[in-house]
Amino acid sequence: MARPDRMDFGIFIAPFHSNDDNPTLTLRHDLELIELADRLGFDEAWVGEHHSTGVERIADPFMVLSAAAVTTARIRLGTGVVSLPYHHPLMVADRTVLLDHLSRGRAMLGVGPGALISDADMMGIEPVTQRSRMNEALDAIIPLLRGETVSAKTDWFELREAQLAFLPLNPDGVPVAVASTTSPSGVTTAGRHGVGVLSLSAGFIGGKKDMKEQWSIAEKAAADAGTEISRDEWRMVLRVHLSKDRDQAIRDVEAARERERQVYFKPVLGLENDYTLADEIADDSSIIGTPEDCIAAIERMVEQTGGFGTFLIMTHDWADRPQTLASLELFARYVMPHFQGTLAPAQRSAATVTAKRPGYKPLAQAAITKAFSDAGRDLPDGTNIQSLR
């Protein structure tokens, strides 16, 4: 698959906030970021679910996305992601449809097994069961969203002739995507169910994974299950920070990036390697630089992966708030149009006029000379004919 005619873009709000930052204000900032993305023309916003660490602070993405639905107009709103082993499948399906109606058909369902072992531990869930439980839940949720009646019994939930009281607004249903990080479980599940992939491993802290290989796993799982998957529903998730000056962009983020690594990723999440910001920039697992740098990095990613449908910015507090908002605007102004075909008509028009300019001058000369003649006046000596204005 070559680069799509129109690549979609969005933001992915885990979120990551410092533990010394006001939680009420950071939640407000997350909502404001979705509102800004909507105004700037981004296509999607995804919001995560976490219950521990105090850094990834949103416990219920459905609540946050419902609030965002009120203050936005067109951006699609996705759970990024609901940790399925934490919830009864009927409740997930019901809340998804409710969000879809509240947002007038803009809901997306992103799912995963649960990223933080500390979350599962508090609920008495054994981590080794989480991936299988995610699959069992999805086996029920997908047919429920299609309007089917589902009966199922597992060692952790039961459905007795369950059905939804109302269905998604769009006849094609709600888009579904599975998160993929370290293991092949996510892409395997996506392939088995014929749904999309949220590749957080594209910009995984500590070095990105082989994305082409991950997609091959998804394709094999789909073939084995008799389903179909599409690269159009493949989403890459990376951290991005842009400035008009590359060195300035790096200065904007380097201190907070290192602090996040030393305070959160290493002691709390157990990251063991010493991957540096320079390493991340070199292998495109973080894109820090100018809009031109970002365009080149995304082009490389398209080439390396074989193509995907959506690029998502993993939001973070590496830069100060004004710098973060400015980065998002630079991305919308200069990066998105490059991949969406919106610049081509204007550039083509300018090139056409430039090529024809030598032939326009005598036509303009004749028209202006006639205008002076019709007015009974002589054309002043040395008049520079630029146009008919």
Side-chain angles (χ1 to χ4, degrees):
M1 170 185 172
R3 172 152 57 92
D5 292 336
R6 186 193 188 281
M7 185 181 291
D8 283 354
F9 292 94
I11 58 174
F12 190 97
I13 302 174
F16 294 103
H17 294 304
S18 172
N19 271 330
D20 60 7
D21 201 346
N22 186 320
T24 306
L25 290 181
T26 57
L27 289 170
R28 182 64 250 175
H29 285 167
D30 292 335
L31 285 169
E32 290 171 354
L33 208 61
I34 299 174
E35 294 163 16
L36 176 60
D38 184 53
R39 293 196 301 272
L40 290 175
F42 283 80
D43 302 285
E44 300 179 351
W46 298 79
V47 172
E49 173 193 359
H50 304 89
H51 303 277
S52 57
T53 78
V55 171
E56 301 177 70
R57 292 176 168 177
I58 293 175
D60 187 345
F62 288 112
M63 291 183 67
V64 173
L65 294 171
S66 294
V70 177
T71 57
T72 57
R74 56 171 297 279
I75 195 167
R76 297 188 293 273
L77 304 169
T79 59
V81 296
V82 172
S83 299
L84 293 186
Y86 305 165
H87 309 280
H88 194 286
L90 181 64
M91 303 304 289
V92 175
D94 250 343
R95 290 168 180 160
T96 300
V97 174
L98 179 59
L99 174 62
D100 196 51
H101 282 257
L102 290 173
S103 64
R104 299 297 179 92
R106 292 185 280 146
M108 305 176 293
L109 177 62
V111 302
L116 300 178
I117 289 179
S118 50
D119 287 356
D121 182 56
M122 290 194 298
M123 289 179 269
I125 298 171
E126 293 297 330
V128 294
T129 69
Q130 287 179 251
R131 288 173 176 82
S132 60
R133 289 186 175 190
M134 176 184 71
N135 277 299
E136 291 169 341
L138 208 51
D139 284 339
I141 291 168
I142 289 177
L144 283 170
L145 290 174
R146 290 198 297 254
E148 298 176 19
T149 300
V150 178
S151 294
K153 187 171 184 178
T154 72
D155 62 354
W156 66 286
F157 75 82
E158 183 174 359
L159 290 166
R160 301 175 184 172
E161 296 184 354
Q163 55 185 297
L164 300 183
F166 53 107
L167 297 178
L169 284 174
N170 191 320
D172 294 331
V174 171
V176 177
V178 181
S180 172
T181 52
T182 303
S183 80
S185 173
V187 287
T188 300
T189 298
R192 186 163 74 84
H193 289 281
V195 298
V197 177
L198 283 162
S199 284
L200 283 82
S201 51
F204 206 66
I205 291 293
K208 69 179 180 181
K209 305 301 180 284
D210 186 340
M211 304 313 301
K212 198 168 187 177
E213 173 62 21
Q214 294 229 339
W215 188 253
S216 296
I217 295 171
E219 288 182 319
K220 183 180 185 304
D224 291 344
T227 63
E228 293 184 2
I229 56 172
S230 170
R231 287 177 179 268
D232 291 336
E233 296 301 317
W234 190 12
R235 295 169 173 86
M236 297 290 168
V237 187
L238 276 86
R239 287 169 173 80
V240 175
H241 179 76
L242 304 181
S243 174
K244 291 184 178 180
D245 178 80
R246 181 181 302 138
D247 292 337
Q248 182 61 54
I250 295 172
R251 287 194 297 271
D252 288 347
V253 304
E254 57 187 350
R257 181 267 185 198
E258 187 59 24
R259 182 168 63 249
E260 179 188 75
R261 181 183 185 80
Q262 297 300 332
V263 173
Y264 182 55
F265 279 97
K266 295 186 81 169
V268 179
L269 297 188
L271 183 70
E272 295 180 353
N273 65 51
D274 288 312
Y275 216 64
T276 66
L277 179 61
D279 293 330
E280 292 174 21
I281 295 171
D283 73 5
D284 295 332
S285 57
S286 287
I287 302 175
I288 313 297
T290 66
E292 293 77 15
D293 293 331
C294 188
I295 288 170
I298 296 175
E299 291 281 19
R300 288 192 294 271
M301 185 170 294
V302 170
E303 177 68 24
Q304 291 163 2
T305 61
F308 52 90
T310 303
F311 182 93
L312 302 176
I313 296 174
M314 171 76 82
T315 65
H316 49 75
D317 287 347
W318 286 359
D320 290 342
R321 184 74 176 168
Q323 296 166 334
T324 297
L325 302 183
S327 171
L328 206 63
E329 182 166 343
L330 284 173
F331 190 95
R333 290 178 64 188
Y334 299 111
V335 179
M336 286 162 50
H338 180 84
F339 295 93
Q340 295 181 326
T342 53
L343 298 177
Q347 292 170 347
R348 184 175 62 246
S349 177
T352 298
V353 172
T354 299
K356 291 184 175 182
R357 171 55 55 195
Y360 286 162
K361 186 169 184 177
L363 298 177
Q365 177 78 47
I368 291 178
T369 299
K370 185 176 185 303
F372 273 90
S373 176
D374 290 345
R377 300 181 62 187
D378 293 330
L379 184 69
D381 293 338
T383 300
N384 184 17
I385 306 298
Q386 298 290 342
S387 68
L388 294 182
R389 288 195 294 270

